[in-house]
């Protein structure tokens, strides 16, 4: 291999930058979809709360109607009390009136409870609607930040790609094929720096023969993980 360690080191650095930029670019859409999901959940909550409120109002109306009808009935029966001819008939009416009055007492408690729920649910709906507005503006903010960042990242990436293409021109022959195959498969993990006597990728010790090659400035392939190993020539 006639490629210098410093070129491999440089290729490693550029590939790392490329991976980092691609990672940042991929994060943008994830941020947008996270904010979108939060908004969708809040919109769903508004809709659920609204239908809950409708249900409560329908229930309150129907119970109030039932109470009025029963009151009218009681009123009518009271009128009949005076014209009751027999004692038994009189007592039966009195019993019916008492039973319906009792039923209406229970009903009025139920209505009160529903009216309290309506108040609480109305408050909840208002705050759920506030939350939607808040999340809408958060989403818009995230979208514009991501769009701005994307422009910067894409221009950085274009610069890094041309830097990479330029550096890769220093490669040729078998080594170039090997490098391309490795980078294709592993990205920045195609290369690792020597750390002590070990591969900086998998931390396996290298044989004295391999270390010797590195000392001479030749990059080698790690026998255990297959990364291209180079020695930092500045060290
Ligand atoms: Zn290794």
């Amino acid at each position: 291999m006639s490629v210098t360690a410093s070129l491999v080191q440089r290729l490693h650095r550029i590939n790392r930058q490329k991976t980092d930029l691609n990672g940042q670019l991929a994060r943008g859409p994830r941020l947008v979809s996270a904010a979108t999901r939060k908004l969708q959940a809040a919109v769903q909550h508004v809709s659920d709360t609204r239908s809950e409120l409708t249900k409560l109002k329908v229930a309150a109306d129907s119970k109030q109607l039932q109470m009025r009808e029963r009151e009218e009935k009681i009123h009518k029966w009271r009128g009949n009390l005076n014209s009751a001819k027999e004692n038994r008939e009189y007592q039966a009416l009195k019993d019916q009136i008492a039973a319906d009055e009792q039923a209406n007492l229970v009903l009025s408690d139920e209505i009160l409870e529903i009216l309290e729920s309506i108040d609480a649910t109305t408050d909840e709906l208002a705050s759920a609607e506030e939350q939607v507005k808040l999340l809408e503006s958060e989403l818009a903010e995230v979208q514009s930040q991501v769009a701005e960042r994307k422009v910067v990242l894409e221009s950085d990436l274009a610069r890094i790609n041309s830097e990479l293409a330029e550096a890769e021109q220093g490669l040729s022959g078998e080594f170039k094929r090997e490098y391309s195959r490795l980078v294709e498969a592993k990205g920045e993990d195609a290369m690792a720096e020597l750390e002590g006597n070990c591969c900086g990728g998998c931390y396996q010790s290298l044989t004295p023969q391999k270390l010797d090659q590195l000392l001479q400035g030749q990059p080698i392939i790690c026998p255990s993980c297959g990364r291209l190993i180079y020695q930092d020539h500045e060290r």
Side-chain angles (χ1 to χ4, degrees):
M1 282 189 270
S2 61
V3 177
T4 64
S6 67
L7 175 56
V8 178
Q9 185 178 30
R10 186 170 169 228
L11 287 166
H12 195 198
R13 177 182 58 76
I14 301 171
N15 272 294
R16 266 200 306 256
Q17 286 173 321
K18 185 177 167 175
T19 304
D20 177 53
L21 289 170
N22 278 322
Q24 290 189 55
L25 270 170
R27 209 173 302 140
R30 285 205 298 272
L31 290 173
V32 171
S33 54
T36 305
R37 279 197 302 276
K38 264 169 81 179
L39 175 60
Q40 282 166 344
V43 168
Q44 185 60 48
H45 184 53
V46 164
S47 144
D48 291 347
T49 309
R50 203 171 274 149
S51 46
E52 174 64 20
L53 192 57
T54 306
K55 256 188 260 169
L56 288 169
K57 284 178 176 169
V58 167
D61 285 351
S62 123
K63 283 181 191 288
Q64 275 163 341
L65 178 66
Q66 202 186 338
M67 192 159 83
R68 273 198 306 276
E69 283 171 352
R70 208 178 269 145
E71 274 164 359
E72 280 162 21
K73 220 159 44 168
I74 292 169
H75 183 74
K76 203 179 81 191
W77 283 336
R78 279 194 200 288
N80 291 351
L81 273 180
N82 300 326
S83 53
K85 294 183 188 79
E86 288 173 38
N87 208 28
R88 219 179 58 198
E89 194 188 345
Y90 182 86
Q91 192 53 46
L93 274 172
K94 283 214 77 137
D95 289 349
Q96 261 177 334
I97 290 169
D100 273 27
E101 276 175 343
Q102 184 55 38
N104 260 2
L105 269 181
V106 173
L107 198 55
S108 88
D109 281 350
E110 285 172 11
I111 291 169
L112 206 65
E113 216 169 279
I114 294 176
L115 292 180
E116 278 168 6
S117 291
I118 288 177
D119 280 350
T121 309
T122 304
D123 289 350
E124 194 182 330
L125 180 59
S127 74
E129 282 168 342
E130 270 310 300
Q131 181 70 1
V132 165
K133 276 186 211 150
L134 189 77
L135 291 175
E136 273 169 353
S137 67
E138 264 182 36
L139 174 61
E141 178 71 12
V142 168
Q143 278 170 328
S144 92
Q145 277 174 358
V146 165
E148 271 174 46
R149 187 84 187 111
K150 186 169 181 252
V151 173
V152 175
L153 288 170
E154 277 174 347
S155 113
D156 286 353
L157 192 60
R159 183 174 49 75
I160 283 295
N161 276 332
S162 68
E163 205 181 313
L164 187 60
E166 189 255 305
E168 283 171 348
Q169 278 175 3
L171 302 172
S172 61
E174 179 57 30
F175 187 86
K176 182 173 187 167
R177 277 190 292 279
E178 186 72 355
Y179 162 87
S180 302
R181 188 185 63 78
L182 283 171
V183 167
E184 177 77 26
K186 303 169 179 235
E188 66 170 74
D189 283 337
M191 288 153 279
E193 194 180 321
L194 180 71
E195 288 188 23
N197 288 339
C198 299
C199 161
C202 69
Y203 299 101
Q204 292 290 313
S205 300
L206 297 166
T207 62
Q209 191 205 348
K210 294 277 182 198
L211 290 168
D212 218 41
Q213 279 178 277
L214 280 169
L215 268 178
Q216 289 162 28
Q218 297 172 11
I220 56 156
I221 303 266
C222 172
S224 66
C225 73
R227 285 179 174 88
L228 262 174
I229 306 175
Y230 60 89
Q231 188 167 23
D232 186 347
H233 65 293
E234 301 278 292
R235 285 189 191 172

